Amino acid sequence: MAEKIRPTVFVSYSHKDKKHLDSVLPFLEGLELNERIELWHDRLIGVGEDWYRQLEGEMHDAKVAILLVTQNFLASRFCKFEEIPVLLQRQREGRLAVLPVLLEPCLWEEEPWLKRLQMIPTDGPVPQRGVRRKQILTDLARKVVEVADKGVAPPEKALENWPPEAYNLRRLPQTGSLLFGRRNELALVDRAWNEGGTNLVVFTAGGGVGKSTLCRVWCEMLAEDDWRGAHRAFAWSFHSQGAGRQGSADTFVNAAFRWFGEDPTGLSPWDRGDRLAELVRGERMLLVLDGIEPLQSSSVADRGELRDPALKTLLENLAQENPGLCLVTTREPLTDLEQVTEPEVIHHDLDQVSLLAGRALLRVAGVKGSDKELESGVRELGRHALAVNLLATYIADTGGRHIGTLADLTPPDPSHGRDAHPRRVIEAWARRLGDSAELEVLNQLGLFDRPATGPELEALRQSPPTPGLNRHLQSADYPQTLARLRAVRLLAPPNLHEPETLDSHPLIREHLGESLHDTRPDSWKTGHNVLYEHLTSTSEYQPDGLEELSPLYAALTHGCAAGREREALNLVYFQRISRENESFVTHKLGAFAADLAGLASFFEVRWHKPLPTLPEDDQSWVLGQTGFNLRALGRLAAAPQPMLAALANEVRQENWLRAAAAAGNLAELETGRGELSSALDYATQGVEHADRSRLPEQQVMKRARLADVLFQLGRVEEAEALFREAERILTGGKPSPHKLYSLWGYLFCELLLEVGKVEEAETRALYALELVGRFDTPLLDQAVAHLSMGRLHLVQRDYPESKPFLRRAVELLRLAGQSDYLPRGLVANAEFHLGTADFERSHKVLDDSLTLCLRAGLRLFEADTWLGLGRLNLRTGELRQAGESLGRARAIIEQTGYGRRREELAELEAQLAD
């Protein structure tokens, strides 16, 4: 179609309102006669012409759209589903001015899209006759001339134009915002925001159904309404982490804290979630979390559960209390919040597009066929929005443009589940593109589990010619290639803030990445190798922040896919990310989830079977580090699997030193979980392996570990003897001032206090404090030294002396970031507050401890906490609550064999009986 010199004014109306059209046209036809505009309405279509194609072309070229709003117009399916979406989309893109004219009373306020526009006139319908009617329509014509002369003003209230320090929604995917058939869902979110009472809305559906577009359109509506009381807004999309990838919320959490002006360093993952919830609830705020499925479990046993403790804690808090609103989209049901009912949390499964909306999608793209044929095609594609969208552009790209092209598609593959239909169309597009520069761009994106940056893409384009990857791209017109892919929606719209970055729908990336791997494995490997080389050579050697570390974590994925897993592990992960023995990411940044996500690259079967191409030593190390991260994240049920595999590897290799360490770690883990029988077995193995290693340090630590397990079982005399045997090995059997230190010294102190050997415990506690004062010791060592001294003063009922040690112990335990030690300090602090009759604070600290224990599955500490609550309830005269608390403690003690607490439980139950 030849480019038009004069701007087109498109008139949309119901055919039942011809009288209204006839009354409005005279005010515009004079402008056309003066060659100021070109006026178009469907009466101008000639007999026998391809009416829909002409209509589509005029809508595409129009600079102004006039809507003749009546009840007939609002009831017109053609206007509502085939004209309006196209016009609104062009308006959002800043290419069209939409001018609605209210010509008679009707329920136009019921249409969310129409409420967002400036109605003409603003005070009611245009009068049927008289001077005022002529004045209003004359003003309409002046507005048309103004747009024709000055062009369409860009959207003033676009999401990107608001100050990011208050409204940062730039992470939302650039979906294009063309939304069909989601009226009810938009109304649902409107009610949740306007009426209050709803804290969180979760939209669940498969990929490509339009969840992200729905959120973006509603956010655009909110922005256009000056945010309707939202003081702040923040959005994050986890889609950049790919479908099914082991995800981490650490980058999101850190970015959110920075946006609020705070630093999360030193906080455990749970504390980060708690604090972030406090910040979100500080004022009425909109929080949008798009595509959280990479952070949910995909296993049958716990499918849908959040694996990231920070995000889980954040959402659990917001579900209970939130003056604003949190919007969440995901492919998996969010099972963590299923116990919270409406209206606090609304779970809404997005249906696939309706037949009417799907038909409109096809019509808008210019697909030919009767209504019945189009609806049949939508039905055959499972009413899947992404499949219908891609089919629409696929058909429009052909000369025939008829829905019959559906026959080109292969049958759906049942193994792909609900993604089968869009994959059919993606595969058809791949065949259509053939061996071309366009397919090479998409294949390159298939190498990524995130948007691809300009430098990364440039590295791929400039690497030696590789079939399916860059052979055609090196001589192609690159901007033109991208333009074509965007025109057919295989490539996302440009990112306004990172124009060189490219992305496509995660399903398109995933499907074409798998196809490249299967059909051109050498090209797949070459592409990942180029990206590995690029990222490792252009990144800072040892970055200090988590975001700066992201390229190195990405390099791990590419290095493993390129067959360079040993190099990626040793030169990138161990030397540059972890900084060798420094464990920088976990010990300094506390980013256990991000570290776990990075380690996922080295597994063939997640958390159980590392890549077989890694040497056994490296496999064992990966398994051990993975178990450590899982434990630190409170995922105690998942942690034993990699730790057991690591132990088996070390025993098979007769590496007794590392086998002793692995067995000791398992014993510690199982002790916290309350699996004391297993803990005893692993602790015994640890001693055996340590003796085989003949390394005194391991012999000391593993005997102390076994002693602690015996202590928890109530076998106190055996435990004390073993602690003393460990100390004899430490001192070489000779008199020496040296004593057990670090965690082992603390555990021995606990035993001594319990059996009444207070003076010896005091000597050891002072020794521990002296050590941490003289040397640069780990945070955990400092924490337990203070805790030993605080517990000593508690036993002596010297509360003023106890207070600073206990407070400092909790501070240091939080900074250490290992949640399985923190309840020790909390329960001791609660005992202090009880001793000083501060019952309210004692209850709060015990509640915090209980929450942590339940989250992390720390059964023994949970029993300690229930005992503390029972003691508090008895002191405050709440006998019913005391009975319940002691009953819960008894159940755990009996189930786990926690013999250490049986005597204490009996004493408290006797007090209750009295």
Side-chain angles (χ1 to χ4, degrees), residues 274-321:
D274 284 331
R275 178 56 184 154
L276 194 52
E278 290 177 8
L279 293 169
V280 171
R281 292 190 299 224
E283 51 193 327
R284 195 168 192 218
M285 174 178 167
L286 171 66
L287 176 65
V288 184
L289 302 176
D290 180 48
I292 67 169
E293 60 272 4
L295 287 85
Q296 292 176 271
S297 172
S298 57
S299 65
V300 176
D302 58 354
R303 192 175 189 92
E305 287 188 14
L306 282 165
R307 298 176 298 195
D308 188 283
L311 185 63
K312 182 174 182 176
T313 304
L314 168 66
L315 292 181
E316 286 175 343
N317 281 325
L318 293 180
Q320 298 296 331
E321 179 189 350

Side-chain angles (χ1 to χ4, degrees), residues 388-406:
V388 174
N389 263 300
L390 292 178
L391 180 71
T393 59
Y394 179 81
I395 294 175
D397 192 59
T398 69
R401 300 167 68 90
H402 193 276
I403 188 62
T405 313
L406 194 64

Side-chain angles (χ1 to χ4, degrees), residues 408-421:
D408 293 354
L409 305 185
T410 57
D413 183 346
S415 68
H416 289 139
R418 56 189 178 186
D419 293 339
H421 288 296

